[in-house]
């Protein structure tokens, strides 16, 4: 399979929502409902608005396997309101999600590497992301395998989160 990454835009919001919905279905099937619950993102008006806001304010990227959308993330200049800004120029990863059919094929890792390169080319050395830190910590460990290091933990309405950072000089 050939993996390509393309830059997206606000028109990709429905595609992003579809990938998020697929990830929720997979998480529910795996019994991992703590991260995003059991309801599809597309059925939650607040989540839909969040996706549209990030897609308009930042730059979505879509990884495709032989032309089929396999994963996505959106890169912005700042974290969400629940995380303090870094105090230096940064790029922030939002909404990383993958189609479960492509699990283990490297689409997410390729997007993270692409985000690091885009950040570096912009002359910015700090790339950050936050993620669900509950259950067995597998998601935090995934980001650590991609070169990120833990910085601060946080709780958003009882949801345990972890901020991670990567220097990309």
């Amino acid at each position: 399979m050939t993996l390509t990454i393309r830059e997206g835009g606000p028109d990709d919001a429905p595609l992003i929502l579809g990938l998020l919905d697929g990830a929720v279905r997979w998480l529910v099937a795996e019994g991992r409902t703590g991260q995003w619950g059991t309801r599809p993102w597309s059925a939650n008006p607040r989540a839909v608005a969040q996706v549209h806001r990030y897609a308009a304010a930042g730059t979505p990227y879509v990884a495709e396997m032989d032309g089929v959308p396999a994963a996505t993330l959106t890169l912005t200049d700042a974290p969400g309101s629940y995380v303090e800004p870094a105090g230096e120029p940064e790029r922030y990863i939002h909404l990383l999600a993958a189609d479960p059919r492509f699990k283990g094929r490297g689409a997410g890792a390729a997007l993270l590497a692409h985000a690091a390169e885009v950040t570096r080319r912009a002359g910015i050395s700090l790339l950050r992301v936050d993620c669900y830190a509950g259950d067995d910590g597998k998601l935090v460990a995934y980001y650590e395998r991609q070169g990120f290091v833990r910085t601060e933990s946080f709780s958003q309405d009882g949801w345990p989160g972890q901020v991670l950072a990567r220097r990309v000089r």
Side-chain angles (χ1 to χ4, degrees):
M1 294 194 120
T2 302
L3 174 72
T4 56
I5 296 175
R6 69 169 176 83
E7 186 174 312
D11 290 345
D12 284 305
L15 181 145
I16 295 166
L17 284 163
L19 287 167
L20 289 163
D21 286 350
V24 168
R25 281 191 300 276
W26 180 81
L27 288 165
V28 168
E30 293 288 311
R32 303 174 69 84
T33 59
Q35 182 174 341
W36 286 337
T38 59
R39 191 172 168 202
W41 277 63
S42 62
N44 179 339
R46 193 169 145 212
V48 170
Q50 179 185 36
V51 169
H52 282 275
R53 192 170 49 254
Y54 282 138
T59 305
Y61 293 95
V62 178
E64 298 178 340
M65 295 278 197
D66 291 339
V68 178
T72 185
L73 65 73
T74 298
L75 201 55
T76 70
D77 294 341
S81 61
Y82 51 91
V83 172
E84 288 293 319
E88 68 178 273
E90 69 176 311
R91 291 294 183 264
Y92 209 92
I93 296 167
H94 302 274
L95 307 174
L96 174 63
D99 184 324
R101 295 175 300 171
F102 298 101
K103 185 178 185 296
R105 302 225 178 131
L111 279 170
L112 291 170
H114 185 75
E117 180 58 21
V118 167
T119 300
R120 187 191 64 73
R121 276 190 269 130
I124 296 170
S125 65
L126 180 61
L127 178 62
R128 294 197 306 159
V129 65
D130 65 77
C131 69
Y132 179 65
D135 297 329
D136 54 13
K138 280 186 176 180
L139 190 53
V140 173
Y142 171 77
Y143 284 110
E144 289 174 325
R145 287 191 306 275
Q146 305 308 315
F148 289 83
V149 295
R150 296 176 198 217
T151 57
E152 64 269 7
S153 299
F154 66 94
S155 179
Q156 176 74 10
D157 300 323
W159 188 87
Q162 178 66 54
V163 178
L164 299 101
R166 179 177 170 189
R167 291 286 172 185
V168 296
R169 295 176 195 195

